[in-house]
Amino acid sequence: LVGVLQIVALVGCQRGTQFTPPTDSSMLRGITRVYAIATRDLGRPPKSMDELKAVYAQADPDPSKYVRSARDGEEFVVAWGLNLQSLPADTVLAYERKGVDGKRMVVTLNGEVREVPEGEFATLKFPKGHKPGG
């Protein structure tokens, strides 16, 4: 729970104050951390957004705000069921479903967040079996 509280604090939620939406880069970076926490807590990698939201819900009753892009208004796309220890650090874990202005934000397993032009998006390193798209 301490780790989840740190992540929620990191992405901008403070109880007792008006919620300030975190940036998409903070939320994507948070997804990498919460994915690892969910893996530890479940004893296996998470299989759905509901399993990630359950981790966020330990610290905030409205976990949906941490998994939705402020830029395109869509829930982030996450590659499920990954053993994080067995993949290269530059593998994409999550990304914006649509993005804006022909660019999507992505986060890799090492927590690097960047904005990628649509033409470059399909060339990124995705986990085996994950079909990148929207």
Side-chain angles (χ1 to χ4, degrees):
L1 183 59
V2 171
V4 175
L5 290 172
Q6 290 172 334
I7 292 165
V8 170
L10 177 72
V11 295
C13 179
Q14 297 176 352
R15 292 195 183 270
T17 62
Q18 186 174 5
F19 175 71
T20 302
T23 64
D24 283 356
S25 60
S26 294
M27 289 189 294
L28 281 165
R29 212 171 282 112
I31 285 174
T32 64
R33 293 180 185 104
V34 171
Y35 198 100
I37 291 168
T39 298
R40 181 198 66 209
D41 292 353
L42 294 166
R44 59 165 173 76
K47 296 179 181 177
S48 70
M49 189 62 81
D50 287 339
E51 290 183 342
L52 276 192
K53 287 180 181 179
V55 175
Y56 282 112
Q58 295 174 30
D60 189 323
D62 182 15
S64 294
K65 62 190 167 199
Y66 300 104
V67 297
R68 182 172 300 281
S69 169
R71 292 168 22 117
D72 69 13
E74 299 284 332
E75 220 172 61
F76 293 112
V77 177
V78 179
W80 302 113
L82 303 181
N83 177 346
L84 302 180
Q85 307 304 322
S86 68
L87 296 168
D90 62 344
T91 302
V92 173
L93 175 65
Y95 51 90
E96 287 180 307
R97 185 171 304 280
K98 294 179 184 174
V100 293
D101 298 329
K103 298 177 182 175
R104 296 191 210 197
M105 293 190 76
V106 302
V107 66
T108 56
L109 296 180
N110 64 1
E112 179 187 351
V113 177
R114 61 189 174 125
E115 190 177 57
V116 179
E118 198 61 43
E120 183 184 331
F121 179 74
T123 68
L124 298 175
K125 187 181 293 182
F126 289 91
K128 185 178 181 180
H130 181 81
K131 294 183 192 319

